[in-house]
Amino acid sequence: MDHMVDVFDTEAMVPGFTAPVLPTGPFDPAAVEAADKVSRYWTSDATGPFKVGSDIHKREVCRMFRETFNPYRPSVLEWPKLTPQELARITALPIWDIAVETEGKARLRMAAYAKTVADPDMRLALALNAWEENRHKEVLSKMVTHYGIPLVKEPPYIYPTDAEWAYMVTGYSECIDSFFAFGLFKVAQRSGLFPQELIDTFEPVMQEECRHILLFANWVAWHRKNMPWWRRIAFEFKVFRVYCFLGWERIGLARSLDGDGNERTQDNNFTVNGAQSMTADDLSLPELLQLCLDEDEHRFSGYDKRLLRPTTAPTLARFALKFMKKKKKA
């Protein structure tokens, strides 16, 4: 199947999935705070280790994803009033077009792959992930509309021909980007260049990304363990190809077409090089990497330690920091 998707509906795409019911009524700060705590802390009541690839491993990661769901509704998020200087800083960030487009691709790719998964627990967890990605797109769309941030016309969203490949590209990309995004979000919070109210509004979305990559890391391990050896060889080669693709994508500015067919450049590497847009202070690369490591650990700290965490970006960051420290001493 290879066609453009104009209307997105996870329920229609994934058998057995029912969209969560979101609360109605006005913004309730107490309810928001309670939901935020639920989304950050989860420990299984199951005893013993979670053997990677086992039924209990799969069951508990899917259960974590369901039970930490945050029922915020984009239509009632409070967008704070910005000063002209704050609005100019927000508008100048070169991320909004690609952010909206990325969420649009993610929701479709995740739903397309979820549709192919035979295991009902994992299928519904991945479908919920797709639904949440669609909600992220809705949040971003409402924000740019509220603040009058101009966007290019979105390109058409194409149903993937290889659903597993598309899901893996999205999942590994989120693992890398979220690692840096956690640090940049903290930079923005500490700098004072952006109002705290806006930071608070986006906080549930940031923690939701943490849940997404936690689910992805455990899906990879579970999926890998439950395939025959001959398929595993092909799978590992596919993982290698995904990393090569993502590396190429982040070497420089990737070129693409907007919805009107005009060529545009987009900074797929903003999460790495955009720290100076978030603060008036000089921030060195070692300082940024250490902050990303600290925030990554903080974001995952509330979840059951028996669940696997994404390791590639943190491992590379620690290696880079050791190299930088040795170079500094020399």
Side-chain angles (χ1 to χ4, degrees), residues 176-178 180-181 184 250 267-275 288:
I176 297 168
D177 293 342
S178 293
F180 291 101
L184 291 177
R250 284 158 174 75
D267 190 354
N268 289 309
N269 209 26
F270 176 80
T271 50
V272 178
N273 60 33
L288 176 60

Side-chain angles (χ1 to χ4, degrees), residues 268-289:
N268 289 309
N269 209 26
F270 176 80
T271 50
V272 178
N273 60 33
Q276 295 309 141
S277 300
M278 301 291 188
T279 179
D281 301 325
D282 290 332
L283 188 67
S284 68
L285 181 56
E287 289 173 328
L288 176 60
L289 289 178

Side-chain angles (χ1 to χ4, degrees), residues 8-22 62 65-66 69 107 110-117 119-135 211-212 215:
F8 180 82
D9 185 350
T10 312
E11 286 187 289
M13 291 182 67
V14 184
F17 176 73
T18 302
V21 177
L22 301 181
C62 293
F65 202 73
R66 291 193 308 270
F69 173 75
R107 62 181 183 171
M110 290 182 177
Y113 179 67
K115 184 179 179 180
T116 71
V117 176
D119 184 271
D121 280 348
M122 189 61 74
R123 181 176 67 248
L124 295 181
L126 296 177
L128 178 58
N129 197 161
W131 186 92
E132 290 180 359
E133 295 289 0
N134 188 55
R135 184 169 59 171
R211 290 172 55 255
H212 290 180
L215 174 65

